[in-house]
Amino acid sequence: MKLEVLISTMYQNDLSLIKKMNIKSNALIINQCNMEEMIEKHFDGNTIRMLSCKERGLSKSRNKAIENSIGDICVIADDDLIYNDNYEKIILDAYKKYPDTSIIVFDVPSTNPKRPTSILKEGRIDFLHSFKVSSFQITFRKKDIVENGLLFNEFFGAGAKYTCGEENIFLVEALKKKLKIRYVKTAIAIVNHGESTWFTGFNEQLLKSKGAMFYEMSHRLSFFLILQFALRKYKLYKNAVSLYDALHFMKCGLYEYKNFLNEDNGEHKNLRGR
């Protein structure tokens, strides 16, 4: 099996990111900038490519990486990660151990104690546990993802109309396709979390995004998901908005997204990645 790291970034002028991130395998950099170009270099037997493009949006970057990837096993990455020296072996060994698993989520500790990454119990990931996964923890078998038509929903994520939830929607769609997802409690990298480029607190925009995300995940369960989020996260947002407002904003996001989808089902189906 051949492993490839798929890195989403912006405004890179060279391949110095590879050394900074301690990449020691094949890698594809999707560089959103103001030009269109493909660069390919070979270092220590590994193929490093950088595809520069003018489009914007994190989910669009992820999808372009999947479309252009050459790895059997793909690793979702951001440019603020530093990989462990043996990350490639850890990941490939896990796929050999679990040959029927399509997506494996690994541990990626944060350098910022105020922004800890979710720690799950090792084992199979179900619908509710998929909410706790960050995109840079995700690896997958490309063959399974492509054959099932899975892509990231381009209405969600940094730079999109709804600013969060793209990785969680991706995992839920995989579960709907009956793909197996597993969490392996082994670190493959650390993430250098500073101030978030998109998270500015529990404001109206974030809560509307959550409401839209829950509707996309499950039309039938969306109101239940909104309620459980409002109650479970109350301590985190209570100083910013009231419980009533949190519920109101999420329901507004739900109805807004529902109406948005009904405007043009054909076009929206493509952008939703299926």
Side-chain angles (χ1 to χ4, degrees):
M1 291 185 292
K2 181 165 57 177
L3 183 142
E4 185 175 30
V5 180
L6 309 181
I7 307 165
S8 292
T9 188
M10 300 183 75
Y11 301 115
Q12 299 294 313
N13 297 315
D14 53 36
L15 299 178
S16 59
L17 197 59
I18 297 300
K19 183 176 180 180
K20 176 185 174 183
M21 295 177 64
N22 196 35
I23 299 293
K24 297 183 177 181
S25 64
N26 297 321
L28 170 61
I29 303 170
I30 302 299
N31 178 36
Q32 293 184 338
C33 57
N34 296 321
M35 61 183 295
E36 303 279 343
E37 182 183 50
M38 171 67 91
I39 296 174
E40 181 173 321
K41 301 288 184 181
H42 298 273
F43 301 109
D44 299 326
N46 297 316
T47 299
I48 308 298
R49 297 175 297 150
M50 183 163 74
L51 177 56
S52 296
C53 54
K54 295 181 180 179
E55 66 182 10
R56 297 292 187 269
L58 183 56
S59 287
K60 288 185 177 183
S61 177
R62 305 285 196 217
N63 289 340
K64 187 173 286 291
I66 293 172
E67 178 186 353
N68 290 276
S69 60
I70 58 174
D72 303 303
I73 305 298
C74 295
V75 182
I76 298 295
D78 294 326
D79 58 13
D80 53 0
L81 297 173
I82 300 176
Y83 281 92
N84 299 350
D85 288 339
N86 60 340
Y87 73 90
E88 184 173 19
K89 183 178 187 305
I90 291 171
I91 295 170
L92 293 180
D93 283 352
Y95 278 95
K96 291 173 185 175
K97 184 176 180 180
Y98 303 108
D100 63 340
T101 301
S102 299
I103 299 173
I104 299 182
V105 174
F106 291 89
D107 190 21
V108 180
S110 174
T111 58
N112 187 344
K114 294 182 179 180
R115 296 184 62 194
T117 54
S118 297
I119 302 299
L120 301 169
K121 183 178 179 180
E122 182 151 354
R124 293 280 293 274
I125 289 179
D126 58 18
F127 180 77
L128 289 177
H129 287 109
S130 68
F131 296 1
K132 298 182 178 182
V133 176
S134 297
S135 58
F136 50 75
Q137 296 177 272
I138 296 172
T139 70
F140 58 82
R141 296 183 193 271
K142 181 183 176 181
K143 180 174 180 289
D144 294 350
I145 298 305
V146 171
E147 288 183 352
N148 285 277
L150 286 173
L151 290 170
F152 285 85
N153 188 313
E154 295 181 3
F155 292 137
F156 293 83
K161 180 177 179 65
Y162 301 105
T163 57
C164 62
E166 75 284 358
E167 66 268 62
N168 312 109
I169 294 170
F170 178 84
L171 294 178
V172 167
E173 289 303 316
L175 290 170
K176 289 178 181 177
K177 299 281 188 178
K178 307 300 183 183
L179 298 183
K180 293 182 179 179
I181 306 175
R182 175 173 290 273
Y183 172 61
V184 172
K185 192 178 174 66
T186 304
I188 58 171
I190 59 171
V191 57
N192 287 310
H193 269 154
E195 293 300 316
S196 174
T197 57
W198 68 268
F199 181 76
T200 55
F202 285 89
N203 54 27
E204 180 177 351
Q205 175 57 40
L206 175 70
L207 291 165
K208 281 186 174 181
S209 295
K210 291 291 184 181
M213 177 189 79
F214 291 135
Y215 183 76
E216 177 63 25
M217 286 178 168
S218 174
H219 298 354
R220 183 170 59 89
L221 296 176
S222 55
F223 285 105
F224 166 76
L225 294 172
I226 284 174
L227 179 60
Q228 65 82 32
F229 181 87
L231 295 175
R232 187 165 52 85
K233 298 291 186 179
Y234 178 70
K235 289 182 179 179
L236 296 180
Y237 69 75
K238 65 180 182 179
N239 293 328
V241 295
S242 67
L243 175 62
Y244 174 86
D245 285 341
L247 289 167
H248 173 70
F249 291 145
M250 284 191 279
K251 286 193 291 183
C252 285
L254 183 157
Y255 287 120
E256 178 186 85
Y257 184 59
K258 180 180 180 180
N259 293 334
F260 180 62
L261 291 180
N262 289 335
E263 291 173 4
D264 186 342
N265 288 325
E267 177 187 356
H268 295 163
K269 183 178 180 181
N270 292 333
L271 291 175
R272 290 164 75 194
R274 57 187 184 283

